[in-house]
Amino acid sequence: MRILCAVKRVVDYAAKIRVNAAQTNVDTSSVKMSMNPFCEIALEEALRLKEAGIATEVVAVTVGPDAAKDTLRTAMAMGADHAVHVVHESAGAGAGALPPLAVARVLSAVVDHAGPFGMVLAGKQAIDGDNNQTGQMLAALRGWPQATFASSVSVTDGGTHAVVTREVDAGLETVKVPLPAVVTTDLRLNEPRYAKLPMILKARKREIETLSAETLNVKDHVDRDQGKLHVRKVSEPPARAGGVKTKDMDEFINMLREKGVL
Amino acid sequence: MDPAALAEFREAVRDFASRVVAPHAVAIDENNSFPSDVNLWKEMGDMGLHGVTVPDEYGGLDMGYEAHVVAMEELSRASASVALSYGAHSNLCINQIVRNGNPDQKALLVPPLVSGDHVGALAMSEPNAGSDVVSMKCRADATNVRGEAGYVINGNKMWITNGPTAQTLVVYAKTDVENNRITAFLIDKDMEGFRTAQKLDKLGMRGSDTCELVFEDCFVPADRVLGEVHGGVYVLMSGLDLERLVLSGGPIGIMQACLDVTLPYVRERKQFGKPIGEMQLVQAKLADMFMKTNSARAYSASIAKQFDTMKQAGGDLVAMGRKLRKDCAASILFSSEHATQCALDAVQLLGGNGYVNEYPTGRLLRDAKLYEIGAGTQEIRRILIGRELVRD
């Protein structure tokens, strides 16, 4: 079974971010960029399935500008066998970014182009746009089953099915899906490995297959999808207002009553 | 080296150092030993750090000295003592074997050193031969034991970094006492007649184990001669140039660590109603620390680049070392002198807190001071530079 793993280049989770002056996005001009943490978890799971002899090949794919090649190099340094870069200037988040439907459309075309794949693994969401839609939409576009928010993944029945534990509000839910399927990963699925220096150096010399919406014959669709979602404004969360000190417990209780808490 | 590749390398080492090494730095200093619950030698080996200048065929990264200085800096920033042991292992021992060993010696000894399964050391100084290294008393006499040609080594070596843990040691001994001719040997810790004496209790660089080596009729087979017989001074001197260069990354990392501690502190700490970082006397110190760190980094990088360019063109590293000898010495003279100053400034900027061991500034100061003494004193470095300048 071959696995396609979608990875996204996002602002590093530890970076301090600021909204840009035009209030269209966070300012990404001088912040550190990294692979989306949920994507790292998805890639780690794909690599573990390969190491367990279940997957035969792991292909990493990203949709994004030229700089997104860094993320594919990270994927190859971690162990991905092959990397596919669909170049698109409008990836990322904020105003003008590709909406989940457009990305799902591109990924579906990559499945056709580079397939067959037994599974598409992706993060449940990217930490820039927090959309949490791309995996689901990809499953819908392909008519495949989906198992989202995975906290454990095992391939069963001689490689024809996957049993996935999902983290849902009520607790854990276990589903069994026939393959091929789309699986999106939650935070507790695994702990991603760190790339070692020899692999990092080798990854710099590896080929990255470069495609575009045009070469994948989905440009018209993607352009149309892009026009369907408008980001109106990006703003900082309001600063936390200072608290109030009360004289004694009675005053405190009264205040809670006034606010309708008690 | 391609700047983007070097930046990626630095980023990867920094990430590794802050994740794997830094969490142990305080305990390593307190306990005067590496942690027992994690094998940092293996961790660094798995990451690929021991073989920065080692060819691919022996399991190395086959990069160069610019990358090795960066690795030294980023590790020192996390823990100067771990990095000192790393420098002694990867440069003083491994790189000397890679540059001077024959193919059999390299195939046998280098892979386990690069993987971190073995620890390496280099032994030059003696109780009465520090800066005046050629006055060493340790001697190796040619002999024949049951038909096997070799040498018998007698004498002591002092202040040997990694001495207590090393499996493989590059040791210099006199093979011709009359003419002061020296030979380098590859010692295995299990050789009969070799032992290590007391581990030293040092001011700083605690946990980077240092000890005395004792040779009592230690038989060393002839195939353990590193380089030419009587050619040890050549091995030693050419190695010292690269040692000074690579180790200059140590004080640079300490200076960066001083900034890492000081900058957040002066932004947070308020006196007279404002952060102390807004006061100009404080800013003057910060500016000096910043300037010293970056000029030391730039100087070392520029020398390392010249070695790498020449190595890539297939040139003679030893001749290059000869040409850049005063620069190698000046790079560590400059960086180590400023590292001590930066650490003193960091203590000062943190005030009362800086003097308390809850903060890392005291450790940084004690660690920094080593580089003004170890791998050649500041005095010897100045003499060497001055002599070269007058001779030129």
Side-chain angles (χ1 to χ4, degrees), chain B residues 54-55 57-59 94 97-98 101-114 118 186 224:
Chain B
V54 176
E57 58 185 306
Y58 303 113
I94 294 178
I97 300 175
V98 165
N102 62 41
D104 289 345
Q105 291 169 336
K106 286 194 262 196
L108 177 72
L109 299 172
V110 175
L113 288 165
V114 167
H118 287 179
L186 294 162
R224 286 297 189 119

Side-chain angles (χ1 to χ4, degrees), chain B residues 225-303:
Chain B
V225 168
L226 179 66
E228 300 289 322
V229 174
H230 303 318
V233 167
Y234 173 84
V235 174
L236 186 153
M237 289 302 174
S238 65
L240 276 177
D241 296 322
L242 295 166
E243 172 180 335
R244 291 181 181 117
L245 172 63
V246 170
L247 290 188
S248 74
I252 297 169
I254 294 175
M255 285 191 269
Q256 185 60 53
C258 290
L259 284 164
D260 292 343
V261 174
T262 308
L263 290 177
Y265 186 89
V266 299
R267 288 186 197 118
E268 285 289 314
R269 170 82 175 172
K270 287 198 176 88
Q271 288 292 285
F272 305 106
K274 60 179 179 181
I276 60 170
E278 287 176 19
M279 296 169 188
Q280 291 186 340
L281 280 175
V282 169
Q283 289 177 350
K285 273 202 162 54
L286 296 174
D288 285 354
M289 290 168 76
F290 178 78
M291 168 191 72
K292 287 165 185 170
T293 309
N294 283 299
S295 34
R297 186 181 285 133
Y299 191 15
S300 294
S302 80
I303 302 163

Side-chain angles (χ1 to χ4, degrees), chain A residues 19-34:
Chain A
V19 172
N20 65 12
Q23 294 199 307
T24 54
N25 195 357
V26 295
D27 185 359
T28 54
S29 57
S30 62
V31 281
K32 184 184 170 195
M33 306 293 278
S34 303

Side-chain angles (χ1 to χ4, degrees), chain B residues 206-220:
Chain B
R206 298 173 63 76
S208 171
D209 288 346
T210 314
C211 75
E212 182 179 3
L213 311 181
V214 183
F215 294 87
E216 290 161 325
D217 289 333
C218 175
F219 175 73
V220 182

Side-chain angles (χ1 to χ4, degrees), chain B residues 72-148:
Chain B
M72 189 68 200
E73 178 194 333
E74 291 297 338
L75 286 170
S76 297
R77 187 176 173 184
S79 163
S81 94
V82 169
L84 179 68
S85 277
Y86 163 80
H89 172 77
S90 62
N91 179 258
L92 277 62
C93 182
I94 294 178
N95 202 46
Q96 281 291 61
I97 300 175
V98 165
R99 290 194 320 111
N100 299 291
N102 62 41
D104 289 345
Q105 291 169 336
K106 286 194 262 196
L108 177 72
L109 299 172
V110 175
L113 288 165
V114 167
S115 67
D117 288 301
H118 287 179
V119 176
L122 175 137
M124 185 169 76
S125 302
E126 297 183 4
N128 295 308
S131 296
D132 179 15
V133 66
V134 183
S135 74
M136 67 174 64
K137 292 277 183 294
C138 193
R139 58 186 290 166
D141 298 295
T143 182
N144 213 307
V145 175
R146 288 182 292 278
E148 196 186 356

Side-chain angles (χ1 to χ4, degrees), chain A residues 22 28 57 59 99 169 192 203 221:
Chain A
T28 54
E57 190 189 5
V59 177
D169 287 347
H221 254 111

